[in-house]
Amino acid sequence: MSENRQTVRLRGLCIGYRGKHTVKEVAGGIDASLCSGELTCLIGPNGIGKSTLLRTLCAFQEKLGGDIFIEGKEISEYQDKELAKKIGVVLTHRPQIQNMSVEELVALGRSPYTGFWGRLEKEDRNIVSQAMSLTGIGGLKDRMIQSLSDGERQKVMIAKAMAQQTPVIFLDEPTAFLDFPSKIETMQLLRRLCLQSGKTIFLSTHDLELTLQIADRIWLMHRAQDGGQGTRLTIGTPEEVAQSKAMAEFIEREGITFDKDQLRVRISR
């Protein structure tokens, strides 16, 4: 994977919240990068700051300090329309959309390019068709969104992000509402899209074992292990992160152990 180019770089990033008179830091001093053609998964315990990090990377939330470079340019230097051509976002919640076809929803991914009236040209329609084909939903194009299963709906939202033609796609728990076969199918789809399109795909997830089997790279958010304050990131391939003390501390409880060589969670009966 050394030939893959760096598309996102974090330098001294500090994330958290600004109140009227206070500032709450969730994590600071984050130095990391994401590369094209790689599926990177963000894992960690509830409340550690995964959503805060993801919202900050999506520019939905202001960073407290440091830099986020998207293709070499600091994120704050982008105009909204420019940024919409660099970052695609797929959120956790189900879209509350009625009486819109799959094709119409996927076509909304072209909005950064179609101007005020949103008129699709032939090239736009071809891109929409290609996005549906890549995600395997071409046969659903005339279906109404409300008639889809959760797994089908998630593929539609991924197709919409693909139609946006951004080099980077961020996803917030894309498998949250899916049954197990659909979870696997969705993660396999994202991995395949990385390989086929060379996109940078970064997602938060609670599906640990699936992540260990499919991800190219893992970001594990955890509390400082040296007795210090704050949140840390352990980054590496699944095999590298599995060997870390942070992974064992994240998973292991009474009756639960982690097999770092087999990348499996063992539960005592």
Side-chain angles (χ1 to χ4, degrees):
M1 291 183 287
S2 60
E3 72 278 5
N4 293 350
R5 66 188 179 90
Q6 189 180 89
T7 51
V8 179
R9 182 164 63 93
L10 314 182
R11 186 176 66 187
L13 179 65
C14 180
I15 61 173
Y17 303 89
R18 295 185 189 277
K20 192 171 182 179
H21 302 293
T22 60
V23 174
K24 180 183 178 182
E25 179 179 316
V26 172
I30 300 174
D31 294 295
S33 62
L34 299 169
C35 293
S36 63
E38 290 186 0
L39 176 64
T40 302
C41 294
L42 174 65
I43 60 174
N46 288 333
I48 197 70
K50 298 189 300 298
S51 294
T52 303
L53 175 57
L54 196 60
R55 284 196 301 269
T56 305
L57 295 183
C58 294
F60 294 163
Q61 182 170 324
E62 184 182 358
K63 62 185 185 294
L64 297 183
D67 299 297
I68 303 171
F69 295 98
I70 308 292
E71 294 206 316
K73 184 176 177 179
E74 221 291 323
I75 196 169
S76 61
E77 296 176 7
Y78 282 102
Q79 298 295 321
D80 289 346
K81 192 170 182 178
E82 284 183 296
L83 195 59
K85 295 179 181 179
K86 296 296 182 182
I87 297 173
V89 181
V90 179
L91 299 175
T92 305
H93 62 77
R94 300 176 176 93
Q96 301 301 311
I97 297 171
Q98 300 287 323
N99 301 319
M100 178 179 282
S101 73
V102 165
E103 187 173 33
E104 288 169 337
L105 180 53
V106 175
L108 291 179
R110 299 303 299 157
S111 59
Y113 306 91
T114 55
F116 180 78
W117 298 107
R119 184 177 294 113
L120 297 180
E121 304 296 340
K122 182 179 179 180
E123 181 183 0
D124 296 306
R125 296 189 184 281
N126 287 339
I127 291 168
V128 169
S129 178
Q130 183 182 38
M132 290 191 292
S133 177
L134 281 170
T135 51
I137 60 168
L140 303 176
K141 69 185 186 72
D142 295 321
R143 289 268 300 275
M144 294 293 108
I145 296 300
Q146 65 266 27
S147 72
L148 302 179
S149 69
D150 285 339
E152 290 169 335
R153 192 180 294 113
Q154 192 63 286
K155 286 183 183 179
V156 172
M157 299 310 294
I158 294 170
K160 174 178 173 288
M162 290 295 292
Q164 201 171 327
Q165 288 194 310
T166 58
V168 180
I169 299 177
F170 293 133
L171 303 98
D172 183 18
E173 297 190 42
T175 62
F177 300 114
L178 307 184
D179 58 31
F180 191 66
S182 296
K183 288 177 186 285
I184 296 172
E185 198 173 70
T186 299
M187 292 290 280
Q188 287 176 326
L189 168 62
L190 293 170
R191 178 78 178 90
R192 188 168 67 250
L193 292 175
C194 281
L195 292 174
Q196 292 178 350
S197 65
K199 291 186 183 296
T200 300
I201 297 183
F202 180 74
L203 62 93
S204 63
T205 181
H206 288 288
D207 294 314
L208 177 62
E209 288 198 348
L210 194 52
T211 293
L212 288 168
Q213 293 181 62
I214 292 181
D216 293 304
R217 197 163 295 276
I218 290 175
W219 290 15
L220 170 60
M221 290 189 81
H222 57 90
R223 302 295 179 197
Q225 298 167 294
D226 55 6
Q229 298 296 312
T231 301
R232 300 288 185 269
L233 270 179
T234 293
I235 297 174
T237 64
E239 293 78 13
E240 290 168 345
V241 174
Q243 299 297 319
S244 69
K245 183 180 177 183
M247 180 66 95
E249 290 187 351
F250 167 43
I251 297 172
E252 294 187 339
R253 303 287 186 275
E254 184 177 351
I256 304 173
T257 57
F258 179 60
D259 186 329
K260 62 185 180 181
D261 297 315
Q262 296 296 317
L263 305 184
R264 295 288 185 185
V265 177
R266 308 293 184 188
I267 303 173
S268 302
R269 298 182 63 180

